[in-house]
Every structure is written in C-alpha cells, then in structure tokens.
Amino acid sequence: MKMLSHCLRAILATSLIAFAASEANAASRPNIIIIVGDDMGYADVGFQGVKDYKTPHLDKLAADGARFTNGYVSGPYCSPTRASLLTGRYQTRFGHEFNPGPPSAGLPLSETTLADRLRASGYKTALVGKWHLGSEADQHPQKRGFDEFYGFLGGAHSYFEKNGILRGTENINELDYTTEAFGREAIAFIEKNQKQPWLLYLAFNAVHTPMDARPEDLAKFPHITDPKRKAYAAMMTAMDAAIGKVRQSLEKTGQAESTLIAFISDNGGPTMPGTTTNGSINTPLRGSKRTTLEGGIRVPFLLAWPGQIKPVVVDKPVIQLDLHATALAAAKVEEKPEWKLEGVNLLPFVKGKNNDLPHGALFWRFGDQMAVRSGDWKLVKYDSNVETRSGRNNEPATAAKLYNLADDIGETRDLAASNPEQVKKLQALWDDWNTANKPPLWGKNGEAGTAKKAQGKAKSAAKKKPQKAAEHDD
Ligand code: CA
C-alpha cells in the first residue's frame, strides 16, 4: 500500500511537471492571428475617424494594443501584399509584382511561407478566407504550410454563393454569408486547438467587391443614402462583429493573453471611378488602390497582445512584412540568414525597448510606379490617371514627386524642384534596393508573362473554370 501510494505520488508529480511545462510553453510561444481586411479605406474604421457607422470591436483592438498611424503594405493591391506578408520579403524580390493573371500563376514554389516556418516549429496552422496566391493543386494553401483551409482560392468571391468556397479541397454544402462563416470557422479552430500554439491567418473578403450586404446589416444604416456606401457600412459592420466574436472566443477559452493579434487592410480603398470601387474613403490620404500614393499603400494597422503590449500609438513607419518577422520572434523561431527576411520584429518598438526607426527606408515598385519613404520624405512616381479615370491603369506613370509627409500627409505640395538633393538621395536608395528585384513573373493586366516557365508549370488553361479569371480581378 505504501509502495502504491509512493508510485501514485511520483506519477502525480511527473504529470504536474509536464502540465507546468506545457503551460509555460503556451505562455512563451503565443498563438498568432493575422487578420486581413480587403480594400478598406484608410478612414473607414472608428479609430481613424469614420463617422457614418461604427467599428466598436476594431476600435477595442486598437485601444488594447499598438496602433500604427504610418502602417504600410508593400502592394497597392491584393495578391502582392499577401505574397509579401507570407514570405516576409518584398514581393518584387521574386517577381510577384502583380495579381496573378495566368491560370497557373501564383506564389512561386521557391518561396517559403510563414505557415511553413511556424508549422515546422510545432504550430498548428490554418487559413480561413481569401488565398489569392494560386489556384493550382500544388499552390493550394495546404501545400503552402497550412494544416487547414476554409475559404476561396481567387481574388474575389460572392458573399452568398457557396460554389467556390472550399473546406480543404472540397466545395462546401451550404453558406450563409462569407464574413459570418469565416468568423465561425476561425472560432472553431481557436476552440479546437488549445493544447499547442497555433497560427490563424484570417483573411476576410470584406470589403472587396461584390458589394454583397445582408438585409439585416443594411437596415442599420437608414441615414446613408448612397447605396454603395450603405453596403460598405453594412459589410464593415459584419466584419467588425465577426472580429469581436473571435476575440470573445479567445477570452472564453482562456487564450486572450497567449495570443498575438495583428490587423491590416491588404491595400487602400479603391476610390477611383469605375466598377470595382466599393464606397471606401481614404481621407486625409490622396490616391487609391493601384497607386503608390499614400491612399494605395497606407492602411489601418494594429498589433495587440494583452499582457505583453501596452496601449500605444506608434507613428514610426512600419510595413506588413514586419508582421512576418514579428510572428517568428514571438514564436521564438530563429530567423535564418538564407531566408533573406526584410521585415523587422516590431515587439521591441511597441514595448519601448527600441526607440530607433524600424526601417531606414521603405520601398515600393508596381510597374512604372514607384515610391520610397525615408523618415518623413517620400519620393513617388504614381499613376495620376487612376485618380481621375475609370478602368485599369494602363497609362505610364508621371515623373517622380517629392513630398514631406510630416506636414503634407495628403501629398499636395511637390517639393522636388526646391529639394534636388533630397530627390537624388531617395532615388539612389530606391535604385540600390531595386537592383535585387526580379522582373515580374506575369503582366500587370493579367497577361501571361514568364510565370509558367518560372514555376516549371505548363498546365492547360482550359481545365480551369471560367469563374477563376473573374476571381482574379484585383
Ligand atoms: Ca485588396
């Protein structure tokens, strides 16, 4: 009896040690959620001043952690931003400059994703929502580091149509509303995986076109008369509510303090005239999605980690590829030089442990358009036609202009003529950065480029559903 009791005590002690170790592990290696909104305007969240509707859950997230007022994305539209977020490198380093037009185009198989890296270190990984990094079998999210996938492969999707919404590789049987479904799937993943750290990439299609709003959400905005803006408000409200529910599930399962949450939009609001606009507002920024003006690349940008990051507003310029480096650092995955990561771990900056600028300069290349920002100075060659003309940006970019964003956030006063030295300096920085860029793997307007050759693929376009081409629009 004495012997048995001794054994039981030993077993109990061992279990307690194992339990404590797993608890410590959970605390030291947080879960990571990267939430991406699609085509949101800079001004379209409460914490950045929206007036005609409310975003209480996003505002709460902003108030709980770090809000970046100079948060950027490296792509002025969908797929390039996602390629860079997931690889931690500027997308032009590997030719992913434009949205993938040709059927076989997608994130080059030579690239490793954040999901690959975190999964290799013991994380459970899921993508819920929009992929837009390739529709072929070997480009599927579950071949690119994600254990689980629920969502769609292209660049846009109906919010009500179940056809094309996949669980893994199988079409789902019923769908109420994508925003609702994505929130629900995210919560299921969060509730299911409490024993090991996880990565959840939650990429809503809200508020990208089509402007599919639910009647009950539309009914909340009788005061908004413009039908597009009304739909936008309804769709934003639905996404905000879904994000609120996701955070509730973290609280409910006791994972709030062991979860790092990032939120960005993948690009600025498409405010140019034309059929692909969504009613978004980028004020006080100038320009639109598809331009390297601030309106195309500066976005709502949040990072929260209750207990680890105190509420703070950060004005230093940061960029979405920093989220890759930040996630790896939080997960204690050591960055390898051969990964050639270009993002910076933001945690020391938001915790006040590093007061320098995270980046000497930030860079953009988008066809003929370019931009470089160093400190408050920005040199930018943009497509002015996008601001005034409907349709695609086929026109050549204008000459580079120089703006000082400290007192000219709206990029209204070109200082190039009076500051030739500054122009020269910024251009030299950009030229140097550009030497390591690759030519685009496919064309700006979806035309086939060298993508097939580059990826060693030669599959027939005829096999693809006609819907795919439309899905890739923006
Ligand atoms: Ca987008």
Short mmCIF file of all heavy atoms in Angstrom, two decimals, residues 346-369:
data_model
loop_
_atom_site.label_atom_id
_atom_site.label_comp_id
_atom_site.label_asym_id
_atom_site.label_seq_id
_atom_site.Cartn_x
_atom_site.Cartn_y
_atom_site.Cartn_z
N LEU A 346 8.59 43.89 -34.61
CA LEU A 346 8.06 45.15 -34.08
C LEU A 346 7.94 45.16 -32.55
O LEU A 346 7.71 46.22 -31.96
CB LEU A 346 6.69 45.44 -34.69
CG LEU A 346 6.68 45.68 -36.21
CD1 LEU A 346 5.25 45.86 -36.71
CD2 LEU A 346 7.54 46.88 -36.60
N LEU A 347 8.08 44.01 -31.91
CA LEU A 347 7.83 43.96 -30.47
C LEU A 347 8.72 44.91 -29.66
O LEU A 347 8.20 45.64 -28.80
CB LEU A 347 7.95 42.51 -29.96
CG LEU A 347 6.85 41.57 -30.49
CD1 LEU A 347 7.14 40.12 -30.12
CD2 LEU A 347 5.47 41.98 -29.97
N PRO A 348 10.04 44.97 -29.90
CA PRO A 348 10.86 45.93 -29.13
C PRO A 348 10.42 47.38 -29.34
O PRO A 348 10.55 48.20 -28.43
CB PRO A 348 12.27 45.72 -29.67
CG PRO A 348 12.25 44.38 -30.34
CD PRO A 348 10.84 44.19 -30.84
N PHE A 349 9.87 47.69 -30.50
CA PHE A 349 9.46 49.07 -30.80
C PHE A 349 8.16 49.42 -30.08
O PHE A 349 8.00 50.53 -29.58
CB PHE A 349 9.32 49.27 -32.31
CG PHE A 349 10.62 49.08 -33.05
CD1 PHE A 349 10.97 47.85 -33.59
CD2 PHE A 349 11.52 50.13 -33.17
CE1 PHE A 349 12.19 47.68 -34.24
CE2 PHE A 349 12.74 49.97 -33.81
CZ PHE A 349 13.07 48.74 -34.36
N VAL A 350 7.24 48.47 -30.02
CA VAL A 350 5.98 48.78 -29.36
C VAL A 350 6.11 48.70 -27.83
O VAL A 350 5.30 49.27 -27.10
CB VAL A 350 4.81 47.87 -29.84
CG1 VAL A 350 4.56 48.08 -31.31
CG2 VAL A 350 5.08 46.40 -29.54
N LYS A 351 7.13 48.00 -27.37
CA LYS A 351 7.35 47.90 -25.92
C LYS A 351 8.28 48.99 -25.40
O LYS A 351 8.65 48.99 -24.23
CB LYS A 351 7.94 46.53 -25.58
CG LYS A 351 6.94 45.39 -25.76
CD LYS A 351 7.61 44.07 -25.42
CE LYS A 351 6.62 42.92 -25.48
NZ LYS A 351 7.21 41.66 -25.00
N GLY A 352 8.69 49.89 -26.28
CA GLY A 352 9.56 50.99 -25.87
C GLY A 352 10.99 50.56 -25.58
O GLY A 352 11.77 51.29 -24.97
N LYS A 353 11.37 49.37 -26.04
CA LYS A 353 12.74 48.90 -25.80
C LYS A 353 13.69 49.35 -26.91
O LYS A 353 14.90 49.22 -26.80
CB LYS A 353 12.76 47.37 -25.70
CG LYS A 353 12.09 46.87 -24.45
CD LYS A 353 12.10 45.35 -24.37
CE LYS A 353 11.40 44.89 -23.11
NZ LYS A 353 11.10 43.46 -23.14
N ASN A 354 13.13 49.79 -28.01
CA ASN A 354 13.95 50.31 -29.11
C ASN A 354 13.28 51.58 -29.63
O ASN A 354 12.14 51.54 -30.08
CB ASN A 354 14.07 49.26 -30.22
CG ASN A 354 15.07 49.67 -31.28
OD1 ASN A 354 15.34 50.86 -31.48
ND2 ASN A 354 15.62 48.69 -31.98
N ASN A 355 13.98 52.69 -29.53
CA ASN A 355 13.37 53.96 -29.93
C ASN A 355 13.84 54.44 -31.30
O ASN A 355 13.51 55.55 -31.72
CB ASN A 355 13.65 55.04 -28.87
CG ASN A 355 12.91 54.70 -27.57
OD1 ASN A 355 11.73 54.34 -27.60
ND2 ASN A 355 13.61 54.78 -26.46
N ASP A 356 14.59 53.61 -32.00
CA ASP A 356 15.01 53.97 -33.36
C ASP A 356 13.85 53.79 -34.33
O ASP A 356 12.79 53.29 -33.96
CB ASP A 356 16.16 53.06 -33.81
CG ASP A 356 17.40 53.23 -32.94
OD1 ASP A 356 17.53 54.30 -32.31
OD2 ASP A 356 18.22 52.29 -32.89
N LEU A 357 14.07 54.18 -35.56
CA LEU A 357 13.11 53.85 -36.60
C LEU A 357 13.32 52.39 -36.99
O LEU A 357 14.46 51.95 -37.15
CB LEU A 357 13.32 54.74 -37.84
CG LEU A 357 12.96 56.22 -37.72
CD1 LEU A 357 13.33 56.95 -38.99
CD2 LEU A 357 11.47 56.39 -37.42
N PRO A 358 12.23 51.63 -37.14
CA PRO A 358 12.41 50.22 -37.53
C PRO A 358 13.10 50.06 -38.89
O PRO A 358 13.80 49.09 -39.12
CB PRO A 358 10.98 49.68 -37.59
CG PRO A 358 10.18 50.59 -36.73
CD PRO A 358 10.82 51.95 -36.84
N HIS A 359 12.88 51.04 -39.79
CA HIS A 359 13.44 50.93 -41.14
C HIS A 359 14.14 52.23 -41.52
O HIS A 359 13.63 53.32 -41.25
CB HIS A 359 12.33 50.70 -42.17
CG HIS A 359 11.56 49.44 -41.96
ND1 HIS A 359 11.93 48.24 -42.54
CD2 HIS A 359 10.45 49.17 -41.23
CE1 HIS A 359 11.08 47.29 -42.17
NE2 HIS A 359 10.16 47.84 -41.37
N GLY A 360 15.29 52.10 -42.19
CA GLY A 360 15.92 53.28 -42.77
C GLY A 360 15.05 53.85 -43.88
O GLY A 360 14.89 55.05 -44.02
N ALA A 361 14.47 52.95 -44.66
CA ALA A 361 13.57 53.36 -45.75
C ALA A 361 12.63 52.21 -46.09
O ALA A 361 12.93 51.04 -45.83
CB ALA A 361 14.38 53.76 -46.97
N LEU A 362 11.49 52.58 -46.64
CA LEU A 362 10.53 51.59 -47.15
C LEU A 362 10.40 51.82 -48.66
O LEU A 362 10.50 52.95 -49.13
CB LEU A 362 9.17 51.75 -46.48
CG LEU A 362 9.12 51.49 -44.97
CD1 LEU A 362 7.74 51.82 -44.41
CD2 LEU A 362 9.48 50.03 -44.66
N PHE A 363 10.12 50.72 -49.39
CA PHE A 363 10.17 50.80 -50.85
C PHE A 363 8.94 50.17 -51.51
O PHE A 363 8.38 49.22 -51.00
CB PHE A 363 11.42 50.06 -51.36
CG PHE A 363 12.71 50.57 -50.79
CD1 PHE A 363 13.29 49.94 -49.68
CD2 PHE A 363 13.34 51.66 -51.34
CE1 PHE A 363 14.48 50.42 -49.15
CE2 PHE A 363 14.54 52.14 -50.81
CZ PHE A 363 15.11 51.51 -49.72
N TRP A 364 8.62 50.72 -52.67
CA TRP A 364 7.53 50.15 -53.47
C TRP A 364 7.93 50.14 -54.95
O TRP A 364 8.54 51.10 -55.45
CB TRP A 364 6.26 51.00 -53.33
CG TRP A 364 5.64 50.91 -51.99
CD1 TRP A 364 4.63 50.08 -51.59
CD2 TRP A 364 6.00 51.67 -50.82
NE1 TRP A 364 4.34 50.28 -50.27
CE2 TRP A 364 5.17 51.25 -49.76
CE3 TRP A 364 6.95 52.67 -50.56
CZ2 TRP A 364 5.24 51.79 -48.48
CZ3 TRP A 364 7.04 53.20 -49.27
CH2 TRP A 364 6.20 52.76 -48.26
N ARG A 365 7.56 49.07 -55.64
CA ARG A 365 7.62 49.05 -57.10
C ARG A 365 6.36 48.35 -57.59
O ARG A 365 6.01 47.26 -57.13
CB ARG A 365 8.86 48.29 -57.61
CG ARG A 365 9.04 48.48 -59.12
CD ARG A 365 10.26 47.77 -59.66
NE ARG A 365 9.97 46.37 -59.98
CZ ARG A 365 10.85 45.53 -60.51
NH1 ARG A 365 12.09 45.93 -60.73
NH2 ARG A 365 10.51 44.28 -60.77
N PHE A 366 5.68 49.02 -58.53
CA PHE A 366 4.43 48.50 -59.06
C PHE A 366 4.36 48.93 -60.52
O PHE A 366 3.81 49.97 -60.84
CB PHE A 366 3.27 49.07 -58.25
CG PHE A 366 1.91 48.53 -58.60
CD1 PHE A 366 1.66 47.16 -58.56
CD2 PHE A 366 0.87 49.38 -58.94
CE1 PHE A 366 0.40 46.66 -58.87
CE2 PHE A 366 -0.39 48.89 -59.25
CZ PHE A 366 -0.63 47.52 -59.21
N GLY A 367 4.98 48.13 -61.39
CA GLY A 367 5.08 48.52 -62.79
C GLY A 367 5.90 49.79 -62.91
O GLY A 367 7.00 49.88 -62.36
N ASP A 368 5.33 50.78 -63.60
CA ASP A 368 6.03 52.06 -63.77
C ASP A 368 5.99 52.91 -62.51
O ASP A 368 6.69 53.91 -62.42
CB ASP A 368 5.37 52.86 -64.91
CG ASP A 368 5.56 52.19 -66.24
OD1 ASP A 368 6.57 51.46 -66.39
OD2 ASP A 368 4.73 52.39 -67.14
N GLN A 369 5.14 52.55 -61.61
CA GLN A 369 5.02 53.35 -60.38
C GLN A 369 6.09 52.91 -59.38
O GLN A 369 6.48 51.75 -59.33
CB GLN A 369 3.64 53.16 -59.75
CG GLN A 369 2.49 53.59 -60.63
CD GLN A 369 1.16 53.49 -59.89
OE1 GLN A 369 0.94 54.14 -58.89
NE2 GLN A 369 0.27 52.66 -60.40
#
